[in-house]
Amino acid sequence: MTETKPPLWQQVRDEMARDIRSGKVYPGELLPTEKALSERLGVHRHTVRRALQELREQGLVRTEQGRGTVVLEQPFEYKMGRRTRFSENMSLNRLKARSHFLYGDVITASELVAGQLELRPRSRVSYIEMYGEAEGKRVFVASQYIPHVDMEDLIAVFRKTGSLTKAYRHYGIKDYFRKVSRITTRLSNPEETRLLKLKQKQPLLVVEYVNVDPSGRPIEFGITRFSGDRMEIVVEGN
Amino acid sequence: MTETKPPLWQQVRDEMARDIRSGKVYPGELLPTEKALSERLGVHRHTVRRALQELREQGLVRTEQGRGTVVLEQPFEYKMGRRTRFSENMSLNRLKARSHFLYGDVITASELVAGQLELRPRSRVSYIEMYGEAEGKRVFVASQYIPHVDMEDLIAVFRKTGSLTKAYRHYGIKDYFRKVSRITTRLSNPEETRLLKLKQKQPLLVVEYVNVDPSGRPIEFGITRFSGDRMEIVVEGN
DNA sequence: TTGAATTTGTACGTATGTATA
DNA sequence: ATATACATACGTACAAATTCA
């Protein structure tokens, strides 16, 4: 059994991957130039290029001709399933995640909202806007519509607890499920760009969903807009 | 039991919605101006505006100040679930959907591909690129990686049948399931912009997935890029 | 607006080791 | 054992994109 060293380019790749994953180089930063790397590591530029090619395939870096190679932010995973809840989701990912209240009011449902919630047209609904952070980064903004029946103080309770799940529990809804999710993409508008602290308009993942209680009655219609380069949606099993 | 007519603005809204959905006015076209509409329908401009507001909320039109109101293309639905197959999916939607072969070869798996397919590094895999059309519109481009074992002629069979599902059946794989899907978004690159016949770079829905046979063995790793304004992903039940 | 310097992309060459038929 | 193909590594030149004075 002879122990052989892996090829040079793989050693280079692994060393660079380590530096990136360990946080030695920060996301958004440029790596040293291929020339600088090859001189520092004592290998040919082609060897560095071979390593960079793999790092690109792994989604760790992005190379721009004439500019350099930038370290990419690794997106957070948003596991979407029947039991989807944002805060649980993120804490499972050992991330510090929090939702922040932006605005709440009782409004008249538009046709779309009434339809999704299976309410009569122009029913009254609670409307809540919030944004979410993970590891200090803004990762989503969300709008939620909740039937106003028997939940007059929902907004106040939500502000107190900071969690819709907890607010629901306060009203006797102990459990709920994701009925359907519709996923689209579009560029952020100025408002979203500001709220998500993006440098410029960028693609968003837009998830429109309906949550239902155990009896199948809709209790929440929501539109969540995820920052496309900070989040990815994972649908498992399914 | 008194029968009451709905408000005037709702009648206007419903008539306009009918015209759009029936294809009387085409996506991309400008609607008549609010003034022209109000005169033709014999209602006040504000009544037309109230109707347009609802159409905007329903995602049927987009209004641009100083220009007019454009009819939006309605995206196709891509139902994603355990039994996801593109062609079945689209035909269920009573759409004429077809996949078109672009390129196929046998290549050495990158680390990412080998990992996803649970193969040894640098295993040989079949690689297929294709694009999909629905109703004459390009809606996705896809890259698939399939373990090369016992499927030497996969590419030839795929070209003949035009369906991966059928090609698999030819090799005795009668059924397969979606194990996991990862959904992200980013702007199209020049190649994708060209293949999807987009006018300029636009947000894509990028779905990376793994399909497994009934025993749980990975048989396909794929990356599908959907044109963001022509497709939406629907995850049901889940 | 232009042009030079910098950086990455591509394409050729050479040499050598390793796996395979 | 030999021939062939493939992987690795370095050499050189120039094209293309970006940056900045």
Side-chain angles (χ1 to χ4, degrees):
Chain A
M1 204 76 177
T2 59
E3 189 62 30
T4 60
K5 268 192 293 188
L8 240 191
W9 67 265
Q10 286 185 21
Q11 300 177 40
V12 172
R13 175 199 65 195
D14 294 341
E15 180 173 341
M16 295 176 71
R18 242 195 328 276
D19 287 351
I20 291 171
R21 282 195 242 266
S22 71
K24 202 161 160 184
V25 285
Y26 291 95
E29 276 184 4
L30 286 177
L31 286 180
T33 65
E34 294 174 354
K35 188 160 170 289
L37 283 168
S38 67
E39 284 168 1
R40 181 204 293 178
L41 300 170
V43 298
H44 195 271
R45 179 174 159 230
H46 285 338
T47 309
V48 171
R49 283 183 62 75
R50 183 72 184 82
L52 284 172
Q53 187 190 315
E54 293 265 326
L55 296 181
R56 278 191 291 272
E57 282 175 8
Q58 290 179 26
L60 285 176
V61 300
R62 181 186 64 241
T63 298
E64 294 168 28
Q65 190 177 19
R67 184 150 176 267
T69 299
V70 290
V71 180
L72 295 178
E73 300 203 28
Q74 289 311 296
F76 301 117
E77 284 188 6
Y78 182 70
K79 289 211 177 83
M80 208 175 69
R82 210 169 142 63
R83 297 295 303 274
T84 294
R85 282 140 181 76
F86 178 74
S87 50
E88 294 180 10
N89 209 326
M90 285 298 177
S91 47
L92 279 177
N93 228 323
R94 49 189 165 52
L95 296 172
K96 281 173 234 151
R98 276 197 309 183
S99 299
H100 299 263
F101 178 87
L102 277 174
Y103 175 79
D105 202 356
V106 178
I107 62 170
T108 301
S110 70
E111 202 177 83
L112 171 69
V113 170
Q116 294 294 323
L117 290 173
E118 298 173 17
L119 298 173
R120 286 205 309 271
R122 290 196 256 156
S123 299
R124 303 293 281 172
V125 294
S126 297
Y127 172 66
I128 292 177
E129 275 181 32
M130 55 193 250
Y131 67 89
E133 281 183 337
E135 300 275 296
K137 290 193 177 59
R138 302 278 176 99
V139 292
F140 73 81
V141 291
S143 307
Q144 280 117 341
Y145 302 86
I146 298 116
H148 192 51
V149 195
D150 292 333
M151 289 202 247
E152 281 83 6
D153 274 332
L154 179 82
I155 294 167
V157 179
F158 172 73
R159 295 195 70 157
K160 223 171 284 173
T161 62
S163 156
L164 262 185
T165 306
K166 281 178 191 156
Y168 289 150
R169 201 139 39 204
H170 182 267
Y171 287 103
I173 298 174
K174 294 193 193 74
D175 207 359
Y176 60 93
F177 304 97
R178 182 64 57 100
K179 179 190 170 203
V180 64
S181 310
R182 311 179 75 84
I183 305 167
T184 56
T185 183
R186 60 173 171 76
L187 293 175
S188 56
N189 62 33
E191 171 83 352
E192 292 158 343
T193 304
R194 184 177 62 78
L195 282 171
L196 290 170
K197 294 188 173 171
L198 302 172
K199 296 205 181 72
Q200 55 194 20
K201 65 181 177 181
Q202 283 187 349
L204 304 178
L205 281 173
V206 182
V207 182
E208 293 188 31
Y209 64 89
V210 175
N211 282 335
V212 296
D213 69 15
S215 76
R217 196 166 50 95
I219 60 160
E220 177 186 349
F221 169 57
I223 304 174
T224 305
R225 288 139 283 169
F226 291 102
S227 168
D229 55 357
R230 293 174 192 163
M231 292 288 297
E232 68 182 356
I233 297 173
V234 180
V235 184
E236 249 165 328
N238 184 239
Chain B
M1 204 77 173
T2 57
E3 187 63 27
T4 59
K5 267 195 292 190
L8 196 49
W9 68 266
Q10 286 184 20
Q11 299 178 39
V12 173
R13 174 199 67 193
D14 293 341
E15 180 174 339
M16 297 176 69
R18 242 194 329 275
D19 288 351
I20 291 171
R21 282 194 241 266
S22 70
K24 204 162 161 183
V25 285
Y26 290 94
E29 275 183 5
L30 284 176
L31 286 179
T33 64
E34 292 174 355
K35 184 159 174 288
L37 282 168
S38 67
E39 284 166 2
R40 180 204 295 176
L41 300 169
V43 300
H44 196 274
R45 175 169 165 240
H46 285 160
T47 310
V48 173
R49 285 184 61 76
R50 183 70 185 84
L52 283 173
Q53 186 190 316
E54 293 266 329
L55 296 181
R56 278 192 291 272
E57 281 176 7
Q58 289 179 30
L60 286 176
V61 301
R62 182 187 62 241
T63 298
E64 294 168 27
Q65 192 175 28
R67 180 155 176 263
T69 300
V70 290
V71 179
L72 296 179
E73 298 203 30
Q74 290 310 297
F76 301 117
E77 283 188 8
Y78 181 72
K79 289 211 177 83
M80 208 175 70
R82 206 169 146 62
R83 297 293 305 271
T84 294
R85 281 139 183 74
F86 178 74
S87 50
E88 294 180 11
N89 209 327
M90 286 298 176
S91 48
L92 279 177
N93 228 323
R94 49 191 164 50
L95 296 172
K96 282 172 234 151
R98 277 196 309 182
S99 298
H100 298 263
F101 177 88
L102 277 174
Y103 174 78
D105 202 355
V106 178
I107 62 170
T108 301
S110 70
E111 205 175 83
L112 170 69
V113 171
Q116 295 293 321
L117 290 174
E118 298 175 15
L119 298 173
R120 285 206 310 271
R122 290 196 254 156
S123 300
R124 303 293 282 171
V125 294
S126 297
Y127 173 66
I128 292 177
E129 276 181 29
M130 55 195 250
Y131 67 88
E133 282 184 337
E135 301 275 297
K137 289 193 177 61
R138 303 277 177 100
V139 292
F140 74 80
V141 292
S143 307
Q144 281 115 342
Y145 302 85
I146 299 116
H148 192 49
V149 195
D150 292 332
M151 288 202 247
E152 280 82 8
D153 274 331
L154 179 83
I155 295 168
V157 179
F158 172 73
R159 296 196 71 156
K160 223 172 283 172
T161 62
S163 155
L164 261 185
T165 307
K166 281 178 191 154
Y168 288 151
R169 203 139 40 206
H170 181 269
Y171 287 104
I173 298 174
K174 295 192 193 73
D175 206 0
Y176 60 93
F177 304 98
R178 182 65 58 100
K179 181 190 168 202
V180 65
S181 309
R182 311 179 75 85
I183 306 167
T184 56
T185 183
R186 60 172 171 77
L187 293 174
S188 58
N189 61 35
E191 169 84 352
E192 291 158 344
T193 304
R194 185 177 61 79
L195 283 171
L196 290 169
K197 294 188 174 172
L198 302 172
K199 295 203 182 71
Q200 56 193 20
K201 65 181 177 180
Q202 284 186 352
L204 305 177
L205 281 173
V206 181
V207 181
E208 292 189 29
Y209 64 89
V210 175
N211 282 335
V212 295
D213 69 14
S215 76
R217 197 166 48 96
I219 61 161
E220 178 187 349
F221 169 58
I223 304 174
T224 306
R225 286 139 286 168
F226 292 102
S227 168
D229 54 359
R230 293 175 192 162
M231 293 288 298
E232 66 182 356
I233 297 172
V234 181
V235 184
E236 249 165 329
N238 182 243

